[in-house]
Amino acid sequence: DTGVSQDPRHKITKRGQNVTFRCDPISEHNRLYWYRQTLGQGPEFLTYFQNEAQLEKSRLLSDRFSAERPKGSFSTLEIQRTEQGDSAMYLCASTLGGTTEAFFGQGTRLTVV
Amino acid sequence: GESVGLHLPTLSVQEGDNSIINCAYSNSASDYFIWYKQESGKGPQFIIDIRSNMDKRQGQRVTVLLNKTVKHLSLQIAATQPGDSAVYFCAEKRGATNKLIFGTGTLLAVQP
């Protein structure tokens, strides 16, 4: 257990539905990242928060995706109007300051049917 | 999805042997290079990192080597154990946000 919690662990949804995932980082970590990982590939960066501010978004993050970190603690990632191509593992990671050791959660596996 | 993504490079070793996993990177400006281990159904787990101004760093049973001339990174695992079986990813820390750019993984299979 890395101390980063993600919920749910698995989500199956029908195409067109909205889904929301939650990440609880390690409590003192001010930096939070979302990544997406498809089978056989390395994680791909989606977005970054420093405290409550979203400071970087990847071009992978289409306008159907939105992420928040309202109080600088937990974060949510919402996907609207899901598509089959959204099926992937969504990973959250947190770090303290500029340290390189990012702690990852176990991920939320999304399957869009 | 694309089936080509399922064909991870695989390294098969005998328990007790040393393992060497290789990675090529593209960005000369990266400050840090990191190795992660990912077991099935879990998130990546930090193993070891190396700053770009170093060429070698040792941890417990692991050594990372960095060759900036040929943009090559390797992870050496001594006395490989069954618990080392996993997918290993190299990653570069990029930019002011410290986001990680992951390379292609290598599946390490340890035979008892």
Side-chain angles (χ1 to χ4, degrees):
Chain A
D1 182 8
T2 64
V4 179
S5 300
Q6 291 190 245
D7 183 71
R9 292 290 311 279
H10 303 274
K11 178 71 177 178
I12 300 174
T13 191
K14 292 184 178 179
R15 190 173 49 190
Q17 297 294 303
N18 299 343
V19 294
T20 300
F21 311 140
R22 177 178 169 124
C23 171
D24 286 89
I26 294 172
S27 60
E28 63 268 26
H29 284 186
N30 59 338
R31 297 185 177 209
L32 186 147
Y33 304 79
W34 284 98
Y35 292 84
R36 180 172 69 188
Q37 185 177 27
T38 54
L39 197 61
Q41 303 294 316
E44 295 175 294
F45 170 78
L46 291 179
T47 192
Y48 161 72
F49 289 87
Q50 184 165 320
N51 300 309
E52 66 277 7
Q54 188 176 18
L55 298 184
E56 186 172 349
K57 291 193 288 187
S58 163
R59 280 176 288 180
L60 293 175
L61 214 64
S62 77
D63 56 6
R64 295 185 298 105
F65 288 68
S66 62
E68 294 182 340
R69 194 183 183 199
K71 297 181 181 178
S73 56
F74 74 91
S75 177
T76 58
L77 177 68
E78 181 184 15
I79 310 174
Q80 296 182 325
R81 305 181 303 280
T82 52
E83 301 172 355
Q84 285 189 318
D86 297 332
S87 295
M89 174 79 85
Y90 290 84
L91 292 160
C92 174
S94 70
T95 69
L96 178 62
T99 62
T100 54
E101 185 167 357
F103 292 84
F104 281 83
Q106 302 231 49
T108 294
R109 180 166 294 286
L110 173 67
T111 303
V112 182
V113 298
Chain B
E2 296 179 1
S3 60
V4 65
L6 297 174
H7 298 163
L8 278 173
T10 300
L11 175 65
S12 186
V13 299
Q14 292 293 125
E15 182 178 356
D17 287 352
N18 296 335
S19 303
I20 300 176
I21 301 170
N22 298 303
C23 176
Y25 65 90
S26 57
N27 192 326
S28 301
S30 296
D31 293 328
Y32 279 93
F33 299 89
I34 308 113
W35 281 99
Y36 279 88
K37 171 187 180 183
Q38 188 172 27
E39 296 173 284
S40 181
K42 296 186 177 181
Q45 178 187 357
F46 175 92
I47 300 173
I48 191 168
D49 63 2
I50 186 167
R51 197 181 178 106
S52 59
N53 62 355
M54 300 171 66
D55 52 22
K56 180 179 180 179
R57 188 169 186 216
Q58 288 186 290
Q60 188 177 13
R61 278 202 311 120
V62 294
T63 301
V64 56
L65 299 177
L66 175 62
N67 185 330
K68 292 181 285 294
T69 303
V70 295
K71 298 183 182 177
H72 184 267
L73 191 67
S74 68
L75 177 70
Q76 300 178 358
I77 304 174
T80 314
Q81 303 168 0
D84 295 326
S85 294
V87 177
Y88 289 79
F89 291 98
C90 64
E92 306 168 43
K93 190 184 83 165
R94 192 86 58 89
T97 61
N98 292 354
K99 66 186 177 190
L100 297 172
I101 307 300
F102 285 82
T104 303
T106 296
L107 175 62
L108 177 64
V110 182
Q111 310 301 323

